[in-house]
PDB file of all heavy atoms in Angstrom:
ATOM      1  N   GLY A   1      88.716  95.937 131.795  1.00 98.00           N
ATOM      2  CA  GLY A   1      88.125  96.222 133.109  1.00 98.00           C
ATOM      3  C   GLY A   1      87.096  97.328 133.022  1.00 98.00           C
ATOM      4  O   GLY A   1      86.987  98.006 131.996  1.00 98.00           O
ATOM      5  N   GLY A   2      86.367  97.501 134.071  1.00 98.00           N
ATOM      6  CA  GLY A   2      85.359  98.528 134.098  1.00 98.00           C
ATOM      7  C   GLY A   2      84.408  98.357 135.257  1.00 98.00           C
ATOM      8  O   GLY A   2      84.667  97.577 136.182  1.00 98.00           O
ATOM      9  N   LEU A   3      83.316  99.075 135.166  1.00 98.00           N
ATOM     10  CA  LEU A   3      82.277  99.035 136.190  1.00 98.00           C
ATOM     11  C   LEU A   3      81.137  98.157 135.686  1.00 98.00           C
ATOM     12  O   LEU A   3      80.623  98.338 134.589  1.00 98.00           O
ATOM     13  CB  LEU A   3      81.777 100.442 136.469  1.00 98.00           C
ATOM     14  CG  LEU A   3      80.609 100.557 137.453  1.00 98.00           C
ATOM     15  CD1 LEU A   3      81.011 100.079 138.843  1.00 98.00           C
ATOM     16  CD2 LEU A   3      80.136 102.001 137.515  1.00 98.00           C
ATOM     17  N   VAL A   4      80.736  97.214 136.531  1.00 98.00           N
ATOM     18  CA  VAL A   4      79.670  96.310 136.158  1.00 98.00           C
ATOM     19  C   VAL A   4      78.834  96.015 137.393  1.00 98.00           C
ATOM     20  O   VAL A   4      79.313  96.027 138.518  1.00 98.00           O
ATOM     21  CB  VAL A   4      80.247  95.003 135.544  1.00 98.00           C
ATOM     22  CG1 VAL A   4      81.065  94.236 136.571  1.00 98.00           C
ATOM     23  CG2 VAL A   4      79.150  94.122 134.976  1.00 98.00           C
ATOM     24  N   GLN A   5      77.556  95.747 137.169  1.00 98.00           N
ATOM     25  CA  GLN A   5      76.684  95.389 138.279  1.00 98.00           C
ATOM     26  C   GLN A   5      76.875  93.943 138.679  1.00 98.00           C
ATOM     27  O   GLN A   5      77.325  93.104 137.869  1.00 98.00           O
ATOM     28  CB  GLN A   5      75.220  95.616 137.887  1.00 98.00           C
ATOM     29  CG  GLN A   5      74.814  97.071 137.747  1.00 98.00           C
ATOM     30  CD  GLN A   5      73.341  97.238 137.473  1.00 98.00           C
ATOM     31  OE1 GLN A   5      72.736  96.420 136.796  1.00 98.00           O
ATOM     32  NE2 GLN A   5      72.773  98.300 138.028  1.00 98.00           N
ATOM     33  N   ALA A   6      76.553  93.631 139.904  1.00 98.00           N
ATOM     34  CA  ALA A   6      76.628  92.262 140.368  1.00 98.00           C
ATOM     35  C   ALA A   6      75.806  91.374 139.454  1.00 98.00           C
ATOM     36  O   ALA A   6      74.696  91.718 139.060  1.00 98.00           O
ATOM     37  CB  ALA A   6      76.148  92.146 141.798  1.00 98.00           C
ATOM     38  N   GLY A   7      76.384  90.225 139.139  1.00 98.00           N
ATOM     39  CA  GLY A   7      75.716  89.302 138.225  1.00 98.00           C
ATOM     40  C   GLY A   7      76.126  89.494 136.769  1.00 98.00           C
ATOM     41  O   GLY A   7      75.818  88.647 135.943  1.00 98.00           O
ATOM     42  N   GLY A   8      76.825  90.566 136.503  1.00 98.00           N
ATOM     43  CA  GLY A   8      77.253  90.856 135.147  1.00 98.00           C
ATOM     44  C   GLY A   8      78.549  90.145 134.793  1.00 98.00           C
ATOM     45  O   GLY A   8      79.090  89.336 135.572  1.00 98.00           O
ATOM     46  N   SER A   9      79.024  90.472 133.598  1.00 98.00           N
ATOM     47  CA  SER A   9      80.213  89.803 133.089  1.00 98.00           C
ATOM     48  C   SER A   9      81.162  90.792 132.440  1.00 98.00           C
ATOM     49  O   SER A   9      80.739  91.860 131.933  1.00 98.00           O
ATOM     50  CB  SER A   9      79.841  88.745 132.056  1.00 98.00           C
ATOM     51  OG  SER A   9      78.984  87.765 132.570  1.00 98.00           O
ATOM     52  N   LEU A  10      82.415  90.446 132.427  1.00 98.00           N
ATOM     53  CA  LEU A  10      83.430  91.191 131.714  1.00 98.00           C
ATOM     54  C   LEU A  10      84.427  90.209 131.147  1.00 98.00           C
ATOM     55  O   LEU A  10      84.632  89.144 131.707  1.00 98.00           O
ATOM     56  CB  LEU A  10      84.195  92.137 132.633  1.00 98.00           C
ATOM     57  CG  LEU A  10      83.479  93.403 133.168  1.00 98.00           C
ATOM     58  CD1 LEU A  10      84.342  94.093 134.201  1.00 98.00           C
ATOM     59  CD2 LEU A  10      83.185  94.368 132.010  1.00 98.00           C
ATOM     60  N   ARG A  11      85.025  90.568 130.041  1.00 98.00           N
ATOM     61  CA  ARG A  11      86.118  89.794 129.509  1.00 98.00           C
ATOM     62  C   ARG A  11      87.382  90.625 129.538  1.00 98.00           C
ATOM     63  O   ARG A  11      87.467  91.668 128.875  1.00 98.00           O
ATOM     64  CB  ARG A  11      85.856  89.318 128.063  1.00 98.00           C
ATOM     65  CG  ARG A  11      86.882  88.256 127.624  1.00 98.00           C
ATOM     66  CD  ARG A  11      86.696  87.792 126.199  1.00 98.00           C
ATOM     67  NE  ARG A  11      87.201  88.734 125.210  1.00 98.00           N
ATOM     68  CZ  ARG A  11      87.606  88.417 123.996  1.00 98.00           C
ATOM     69  NH1 ARG A  11      87.573  87.132 123.629  1.00 98.00           N
ATOM     70  NH2 ARG A  11      88.017  89.327 123.156  1.00 98.00           N
ATOM     71  N   LEU A  12      88.341  90.151 130.298  1.00 98.00           N
ATOM     72  CA  LEU A  12      89.602  90.827 130.396  1.00 98.00           C
ATOM     73  C   LEU A  12      90.574  90.241 129.392  1.00 98.00           C
ATOM     74  O   LEU A  12      90.579  89.044 129.125  1.00 98.00           O
ATOM     75  CB  LEU A  12      90.195  90.674 131.798  1.00 98.00           C
ATOM     76  CG  LEU A  12      89.273  91.036 132.985  1.00 98.00           C
ATOM     77  CD1 LEU A  12      90.033  90.908 134.283  1.00 98.00           C
ATOM     78  CD2 LEU A  12      88.739  92.442 132.807  1.00 98.00           C
ATOM     79  N   SER A  13      91.414  91.106 128.854  1.00 98.00           N
ATOM     80  CA  SER A  13      92.419  90.667 127.899  1.00 98.00           C
ATOM     81  C   SER A  13      93.795  91.122 128.345  1.00 98.00           C
ATOM     82  O   SER A  13      93.934  92.153 128.981  1.00 98.00           O
ATOM     83  CB  SER A  13      92.133  91.248 126.510  1.00 98.00           C
ATOM     84  OG  SER A  13      90.891  90.819 126.003  1.00 98.00           O
ATOM     85  N   CYS A  14      94.778  90.352 128.005  1.00 96.00           N
ATOM     86  CA  CYS A  14      96.154  90.697 128.290  1.00 96.00           C
ATOM     87  C   CYS A  14      96.979  90.339 127.080  1.00 96.00           C
ATOM     88  O   CYS A  14      97.109  89.157 126.726  1.00 96.00           O
ATOM     89  CB  CYS A  14      96.679  89.942 129.522  1.00 96.00           C
ATOM     90  SG  CYS A  14      98.440  90.131 129.806  1.00 96.00           S
ATOM     91  N   ALA A  15      97.533  91.336 126.444  1.00 93.00           N
ATOM     92  CA  ALA A  15      98.362  91.135 125.266  1.00 93.00           C
ATOM     93  C   ALA A  15      99.830  91.272 125.630  1.00 93.00           C
ATOM     94  O   ALA A  15     100.227  92.278 126.205  1.00 93.00           O
ATOM     95  CB  ALA A  15      98.000  92.133 124.180  1.00 93.00           C
ATOM     96  N   ALA A  16     100.561  90.255 125.331  1.00 89.00           N
ATOM     97  CA  ALA A  16     102.001  90.254 125.579  1.00 89.00           C
ATOM     98  C   ALA A  16     102.758  90.628 124.326  1.00 89.00           C
ATOM     99  O   ALA A  16     102.470  90.095 123.234  1.00 89.00           O
ATOM    100  CB  ALA A  16     102.464  88.889 126.092  1.00 89.00           C
ATOM    101  N   SER A  17     103.714  91.488 124.453  1.00 88.00           N
ATOM    102  CA  SER A  17     104.533  91.857 123.329  1.00 88.00           C
ATOM    103  C   SER A  17     105.992  91.864 123.729  1.00 88.00           C
ATOM    104  O   SER A  17     106.315  91.914 124.910  1.00 88.00           O
ATOM    105  CB  SER A  17     104.125  93.246 122.806  1.00 88.00           C
ATOM    106  OG  SER A  17     104.321  94.249 123.777  1.00 88.00           O
ATOM    107  N   GLY A  18     106.848  91.832 122.745  1.00 82.00           N
ATOM    108  CA  GLY A  18     108.257  91.788 122.998  1.00 82.00           C
ATOM    109  C   GLY A  18     108.845  90.442 122.639  1.00 82.00           C
ATOM    110  O   GLY A  18     108.211  89.628 121.962  1.00 82.00           O
ATOM    111  N   SER A  19     110.018  90.208 123.082  1.00 74.00           N
ATOM    112  CA  SER A  19     110.739  88.977 122.747  1.00 74.00           C
ATOM    113  C   SER A  19     110.364  87.872 123.722  1.00 74.00           C
ATOM    114  O   SER A  19     111.022  87.689 124.753  1.00 74.00           O
ATOM    115  CB  SER A  19     112.236  89.230 122.756  1.00 74.00           C
ATOM    116  OG  SER A  19     112.945  88.063 122.377  1.00 74.00           O
ATOM    117  N   ILE A  20     109.329  87.152 123.391  1.00 73.00           N
ATOM    118  CA  ILE A  20     108.877  86.025 124.169  1.00 73.00           C
ATOM    119  C   ILE A  20     108.861  84.791 123.304  1.00 73.00           C
ATOM    120  O   ILE A  20     108.213  84.776 122.228  1.00 73.00           O
ATOM    121  CB  ILE A  20     107.491  86.231 124.764  1.00 73.00           C
ATOM    122  CG1 ILE A  20     107.479  87.472 125.669  1.00 73.00           C
ATOM    123  CG2 ILE A  20     107.031  85.021 125.552  1.00 73.00           C
ATOM    124  CD1 ILE A  20     106.126  87.811 126.237  1.00 73.00           C
ATOM    125  N   SER A  21     109.548  83.767 123.707  1.00 73.00           N
ATOM    126  CA  SER A  21     109.630  82.540 122.924  1.00 73.00           C
ATOM    127  C   SER A  21     108.770  81.433 123.517  1.00 73.00           C
ATOM    128  O   SER A  21     107.741  81.052 122.959  1.00 73.00           O
ATOM    129  CB  SER A  21     111.066  82.087 122.800  1.00 73.00           C
ATOM    130  OG  SER A  21     111.843  83.047 122.098  1.00 73.00           O
ATOM    131  N   SER A  22     109.194  80.906 124.625  1.00 80.00           N
ATOM    132  CA  SER A  22     108.529  79.762 125.239  1.00 80.00           C
ATOM    133  C   SER A  22     107.722  80.211 126.449  1.00 80.00           C
ATOM    134  O   SER A  22     108.306  80.508 127.505  1.00 80.00           O
ATOM    135  CB  SER A  22     109.561  78.709 125.615  1.00 80.00           C
ATOM    136  OG  SER A  22     108.941  77.588 126.201  1.00 80.00           O
ATOM    137  N   ILE A  23     106.428  80.222 126.317  1.00 83.00           N
ATOM    138  CA  ILE A  23     105.547  80.609 127.432  1.00 83.00           C
ATOM    139  C   ILE A  23     105.180  79.370 128.208  1.00 83.00           C
ATOM    140  O   ILE A  23     104.569  78.417 127.664  1.00 83.00           O
ATOM    141  CB  ILE A  23     104.282  81.320 126.918  1.00 83.00           C
ATOM    142  CG1 ILE A  23     104.651  82.634 126.247  1.00 83.00           C
ATOM    143  CG2 ILE A  23     103.326  81.541 128.088  1.00 83.00           C
ATOM    144  CD1 ILE A  23     103.469  83.398 125.711  1.00 83.00           C
ATOM    145  N   HIS A  24     105.534  79.365 129.472  1.00 90.00           N
ATOM    146  CA  HIS A  24     105.200  78.247 130.320  1.00 90.00           C
ATOM    147  C   HIS A  24     103.766  78.358 130.832  1.00 90.00           C
ATOM    148  O   HIS A  24     103.020  77.378 130.843  1.00 90.00           O
ATOM    149  CB  HIS A  24     106.185  78.176 131.519  1.00 90.00           C
ATOM    150  CG  HIS A  24     105.808  77.143 132.516  1.00 90.00           C
ATOM    151  ND1 HIS A  24     105.843  75.803 132.230  1.00 90.00           N
ATOM    152  CD2 HIS A  24     105.421  77.252 133.807  1.00 90.00           C
ATOM    153  CE1 HIS A  24     105.453  75.109 133.317  1.00 90.00           C
ATOM    154  NE2 HIS A  24     105.215  76.003 134.270  1.00 90.00           N
ATOM    155  N   ALA A  25     103.410  79.558 131.259  1.00 93.00           N
ATOM    156  CA  ALA A  25     102.068  79.750 131.784  1.00 93.00           C
ATOM    157  C   ALA A  25     101.681  81.218 131.664  1.00 93.00           C
ATOM    158  O   ALA A  25     102.531  82.101 131.669  1.00 93.00           O
ATOM    159  CB  ALA A  25     102.008  79.322 133.245  1.00 93.00           C
ATOM    160  N   MET A  26     100.395  81.452 131.570  1.00 94.00           N
ATOM    161  CA  MET A  26      99.828  82.784 131.626  1.00 94.00           C
ATOM    162  C   MET A  26      98.765  82.744 132.735  1.00 94.00           C
ATOM    163  O   MET A  26      98.064  81.769 132.890  1.00 94.00           O
ATOM    164  CB  MET A  26      99.219  83.193 130.289  1.00 94.00           C
ATOM    165  CG  MET A  26     100.182  83.068 129.124  1.00 94.00           C
ATOM    166  SD  MET A  26      99.532  83.629 127.534  1.00 94.00           S
ATOM    167  CE  MET A  26      99.780  85.425 127.717  1.00 94.00           C
ATOM    168  N   ALA A  27      98.689  83.824 133.461  1.00 96.00           N
ATOM    169  CA  ALA A  27      97.827  83.814 134.630  1.00 96.00           C
ATOM    170  C   ALA A  27      97.197  85.193 134.879  1.00 96.00           C
ATOM    171  O   ALA A  27      97.655  86.214 134.388  1.00 96.00           O
ATOM    172  CB  ALA A  27      98.628  83.405 135.865  1.00 96.00           C
ATOM    173  N   TRP A  28      96.141  85.138 135.657  1.00 98.00           N
ATOM    174  CA  TRP A  28      95.509  86.339 136.158  1.00 98.00           C
ATOM    175  C   TRP A  28      95.557  86.344 137.667  1.00 98.00           C
ATOM    176  O   TRP A  28      95.218  85.348 138.304  1.00 98.00           O
ATOM    177  CB  TRP A  28      94.043  86.436 135.701  1.00 98.00           C
ATOM    178  CG  TRP A  28      93.879  86.779 134.250  1.00 98.00           C
ATOM    179  CD1 TRP A  28      93.705  85.910 133.221  1.00 98.00           C
ATOM    180  CD2 TRP A  28      93.892  88.089 133.704  1.00 98.00           C
ATOM    181  NE1 TRP A  28      93.589  86.600 132.039  1.00 98.00           N
ATOM    182  CE2 TRP A  28      93.704  87.946 132.291  1.00 98.00           C
ATOM    183  CE3 TRP A  28      94.032  89.373 134.222  1.00 98.00           C
ATOM    184  CZ2 TRP A  28      93.684  89.020 131.431  1.00 98.00           C
ATOM    185  CZ3 TRP A  28      93.989  90.453 133.352  1.00 98.00           C
ATOM    186  CH2 TRP A  28      93.802  90.279 131.967  1.00 98.00           C
ATOM    187  N   TYR A  29      95.989  87.432 138.215  1.00 98.00           N
ATOM    188  CA  TYR A  29      95.960  87.693 139.635  1.00 98.00           C
ATOM    189  C   TYR A  29      95.051  88.877 139.900  1.00 98.00           C
ATOM    190  O   TYR A  29      94.723  89.638 138.987  1.00 98.00           O
ATOM    191  CB  TYR A  29      97.355  87.995 140.179  1.00 98.00           C
ATOM    192  CG  TYR A  29      98.285  86.813 140.240  1.00 98.00           C
ATOM    193  CD1 TYR A  29      98.877  86.310 139.075  1.00 98.00           C
ATOM    194  CD2 TYR A  29      98.594  86.205 141.453  1.00 98.00           C
ATOM    195  CE1 TYR A  29      99.747  85.225 139.130  1.00 98.00           C
ATOM    196  CE2 TYR A  29      99.453  85.122 141.515  1.00 98.00           C
ATOM    197  CZ  TYR A  29     100.032  84.642 140.353  1.00 98.00           C
ATOM    198  OH  TYR A  29     100.893  83.583 140.404  1.00 98.00           O
ATOM    199  N   ARG A  30      94.672  89.061 141.129  1.00 98.00           N
ATOM    200  CA  ARG A  30      93.922  90.243 141.501  1.00 98.00           C
ATOM    201  C   ARG A  30      94.298  90.703 142.888  1.00 98.00           C
ATOM    202  O   ARG A  30      94.749  89.908 143.713  1.00 98.00           O
ATOM    203  CB  ARG A  30      92.409  90.016 141.396  1.00 98.00           C
ATOM    204  CG  ARG A  30      91.855  89.026 142.453  1.00 98.00           C
ATOM    205  CD  ARG A  30      90.397  88.771 142.199  1.00 98.00           C
ATOM    206  NE  ARG A  30      89.801  87.895 143.203  1.00 98.00           N
ATOM    207  CZ  ARG A  30      88.581  87.383 143.150  1.00 98.00           C
ATOM    208  NH1 ARG A  30      87.793  87.693 142.102  1.00 98.00           N
ATOM    209  NH2 ARG A  30      88.139  86.591 144.112  1.00 98.00           N
ATOM    210  N   GLN A  31      94.101  91.980 143.119  1.00 98.00           N
ATOM    211  CA  GLN A  31      94.393  92.548 144.428  1.00 98.00           C
ATOM    212  C   GLN A  31      93.366  93.629 144.742  1.00 98.00           C
ATOM    213  O   GLN A  31      93.230  94.586 143.995  1.00 98.00           O
ATOM    214  CB  GLN A  31      95.802  93.124 144.473  1.00 98.00           C
ATOM    215  CG  GLN A  31      96.220  93.612 145.849  1.00 98.00           C
ATOM    216  CD  GLN A  31      97.680  93.930 145.939  1.00 98.00           C
ATOM    217  OE1 GLN A  31      98.303  94.307 144.931  1.00 98.00           O
ATOM    218  NE2 GLN A  31      98.269  93.778 147.101  1.00 98.00           N
ATOM    219  N   ALA A  32      92.670  93.417 145.806  1.00 97.00           N
ATOM    220  CA  ALA A  32      91.720  94.388 146.318  1.00 97.00           C
ATOM    221  C   ALA A  32      92.399  95.261 147.364  1.00 97.00           C
ATOM    222  O   ALA A  32      93.381  94.847 147.983  1.00 97.00           O
ATOM    223  CB  ALA A  32      90.511  93.684 146.917  1.00 97.00           C
ATOM    224  N   PRO A  33      91.898  96.476 147.574  1.00 91.00           N
ATOM    225  CA  PRO A  33      92.498  97.349 148.577  1.00 91.00           C
ATOM    226  C   PRO A  33      92.565  96.684 149.948  1.00 91.00           C
ATOM    227  O   PRO A  33      91.600  96.117 150.415  1.00 91.00           O
ATOM    228  CB  PRO A  33      91.545  98.536 148.627  1.00 91.00           C
ATOM    229  CG  PRO A  33      90.935  98.561 147.244  1.00 91.00           C
ATOM    230  CD  PRO A  33      90.757  97.126 146.896  1.00 91.00           C
ATOM    231  N   GLY A  34      93.747  96.753 150.545  1.00 93.00           N
ATOM    232  CA  GLY A  34      93.934  96.172 151.861  1.00 93.00           C
ATOM    233  C   GLY A  34      94.083  94.672 151.890  1.00 93.00           C
ATOM    234  O   GLY A  34      94.175  94.077 152.962  1.00 93.00           O
TER     235      GLY A  34
END
């Protein structure tokens, strides 16, 4: 994440660690203030 101008791009990453065997799905959610 970070600050970017409109029209720009970012690549978000999410690394999962721990005891995970069978992953059904991975997802991205977002929440803006209010």
Side-chain angles (χ1 to χ4, degrees):
L3 176 64
V4 64
Q5 290 185 325
S9 300
L10 289 172
R11 191 181 79 153
L12 308 183
S13 299
C14 172
S17 62
S19 182
I20 300 177
S21 296
S22 180
I23 295 178
H24 174 65
M26 306 183 81
W28 287 96
Y29 288 76
R30 68 185 182 187
Q31 186 169 28

